[in-house]
Amino acid sequence: MKKIGMLVFIIMMMAIVTAVQAEVRAGGLPAITVDDRISDGKAPAMAPARAGGLPAITVDGRIHDCSCKTDPSCCAKPVVAEPEPAPVPEPAPVVVPPPPPPPPAPKPVIIEKGRQTLNVEFDFDKSTIKKGYYKDIDDLVKVMKDYPDLNIVIEGHTDSVGTAAYNKKLSQRRAEAIKKYMVESGIDANRLKAQGFGFDKPIASNKTKEGRQQNRRVEAAVDYSNREVNFPFPII
């Protein structure tokens, strides 16, 4: 009977020792429990304290156990820098077009044919050009430069005083004097022909002093085809 009692005592002691060893191996931590109230959105309740005075450990079901290795959606999203705004180009400078060049000076208008009277009068028995008449000759030179295919005949005239032969030579010298000045002004001599007519072509009466003065003159006869020119002198 004693043996049986001893055996029961030993078995009970072994059970107690096993229980103590299990408690030690557990580290004295409270048991882990799962609170079913989590699904209701309520705060978890504390489990009753276990041996050692520590509360039981509960797992909150609202916390998602997310692992980047098992669930790529749990991985941290890379931070993407926002692109810098494109630079606004500076407005192109306003280009102001240069003012148009001034129109060229109008050239003389062309007439079909005509005889141009130069306002060149001579003193009695003289063939020298007087200072007051150079402008008229210069105007004719300009016209001929503008129209290089224009040729003229310079005609010299006299009053009726003296013989016909003498006046013919005098009128020729007057025409040659005009031609010489125009050549020196840049006109080709081949474009000019000097011809004296003496007193054969008067434009006023030789009976008066004023008339004779008007007859002592030089004219320019212009001859060309299909062109018109406006000279600064009166046409007769």
Side-chain angles (χ1 to χ4, degrees):
M1 188 69 180
K2 291 181 178 181
K3 292 181 179 180
I4 294 173
M6 290 296 293
L7 181 60
V8 171
F9 177 77
I10 292 171
I11 292 173
M12 291 179 63
M13 291 300 293
M14 291 179 64
I16 292 171
V17 171
T18 301
V20 171
Q21 290 177 348
E23 184 74 17
V24 172
R25 286 196 299 269
L29 299 176
I32 299 174
T33 61
V34 177
D35 192 346
D36 293 334
R37 294 175 299 169
I38 298 304
S39 60
D40 297 334
K42 299 178 180 180
M46 296 300 294
R50 296 183 59 198
L54 296 177
I57 298 175
T58 60
V59 177
D60 192 344
R62 294 175 299 177
I63 300 175
H64 179 57
D65 184 13
C66 186
S67 174
C68 182
K69 294 182 179 179
T70 59
D71 187 358
S73 64
C74 295
C75 298
K77 300 296 187 295
V79 179
V80 180
E82 295 184 0
E84 296 182 0
V88 179
E90 296 183 0
V94 179
V95 179
V96 179
K107 289 187 176 182
V109 182
I110 292 188
I111 58 174
E112 183 66 19
K113 280 188 178 182
R115 179 179 299 277
Q116 196 64 42
T117 302
L118 291 175
N119 187 23
V120 179
E121 295 181 357
F122 296 84
D123 290 335
F124 177 75
D125 198 22
K126 301 293 182 180
S127 60
T128 302
I129 303 173
K130 294 190 288 187
K131 293 182 179 180
Y133 299 105
Y134 284 107
K135 183 181 183 303
D136 292 333
I137 306 173
D138 291 336
D139 289 340
L140 181 57
V141 168
K142 183 178 183 303
V143 171
M144 295 193 70
K145 288 181 178 180
D146 289 338
Y147 297 94
D149 59 341
L150 188 65
N151 299 327
I152 66 171
V153 177
I154 302 172
E155 300 179 352
H157 302 275
T158 67
D159 57 24
S160 61
V161 178
T163 64
Y166 181 84
N167 281 300
K168 187 74 175 288
K169 294 179 180 180
L170 178 60
S171 63
Q172 184 67 34
R173 292 198 304 270
R174 289 173 175 171
E176 293 288 350
I178 301 295
K179 176 180 179 180
K180 180 176 182 295
Y181 177 82
M182 294 181 69
V183 171
E184 291 174 351
S185 299
I187 302 301
D188 187 352
N190 294 325
R191 299 174 60 192
L192 304 171
K193 180 180 179 182
Q195 184 174 1
F197 289 91
F199 51 66
D200 293 342
K201 297 181 179 181
I203 58 173
S205 174
N206 282 309
K207 295 181 181 181
T208 65
K209 180 180 179 180
E210 291 78 10
R212 290 191 296 273
Q213 178 63 58
Q214 294 178 35
N215 289 332
R216 296 193 294 266
R217 73 197 186 280
V218 167
E219 294 178 351
V222 183
D223 188 8
Y224 45 88
S225 301
N226 300 323
R227 299 190 64 180
E228 295 182 353
V229 72
N230 182 22
F231 290 101
F233 317 110
I235 297 175
I236 63 171

